Amino acid sequence: RIGPFAEPYPYVAACARGWFDWATADVRYRVECSVPRSVGSHALAQLDSGLLDLFLLDSTSLATALARGVGLSLLYINRVVNTDEALVARTVSRTAPQQKDIRSPKDLDGLTVGVPFGSSAHYHLSFLMELFEVQIDLRFLPPDDLLAAWDMGLIDAAWASNPTRSQLQARGGETLVNSGLLAEWGRPTLNGIVGRNAFVDENTAFVARVV
């Protein structure tokens, strides 16, 4: 049982098309793909309970799971998060009592920003708040809800990955900083294939074929 991120990457296509199905002389593997998840934290409960065996997980969610003592292993680094995840903001605030131009992260002081809780975007936003010494009203929203909050004027900015990031830009948002730049500043994040230790130990040949 494999769970992909809701992102347009080959891993997702391979899962959906059954390319991970495999047979040996002793066993036949038929892979069941779960519904793609847009936030890694949604998959942790399923991995923890044994409902998923492998998952494409972000590094922040993985660190959270390992800190809780969940038996997981990082098997393969799929990619380092780059420009496709970014902080996108309005050019003029809508949540402040008075309109305020937004040109840099410093301008977000006192404004409202949406971000998925416990995600790599949350980690980067927290780092940015510390770096620029700004106080932000955080609204923890799943990616699917960020667009609705933007359209209703409930947030002035959002840290999001594609396709949400591109959709925010299409609505007039401007990128203030992206995750690739923060990686250069010493705060890289990644997506990787993660497996339950019990499954990995019992199915080493299949896991090697997947990665």
Side-chain angles (χ1 to χ4, degrees), residues 5 7 9 56-59 74 76-81 84-85 120 189-193:
F5 260 147
E7 297 181 356
Y9 291 101
L56 188 62
L57 200 65
D58 67 278
S59 53
L74 176 62
Y76 177 79
I77 295 177
N78 186 56
R79 68 186 183 91
V80 175
V81 180
D84 58 319
E85 187 172 281
S120 57
T189 56
L190 59 88
N191 289 343
I193 299 177

Side-chain angles (χ1 to χ4, degrees), residues 6-17:
E7 297 181 356
Y9 291 101
Y11 176 91
V12 179
C15 195
R17 292 177 178 270

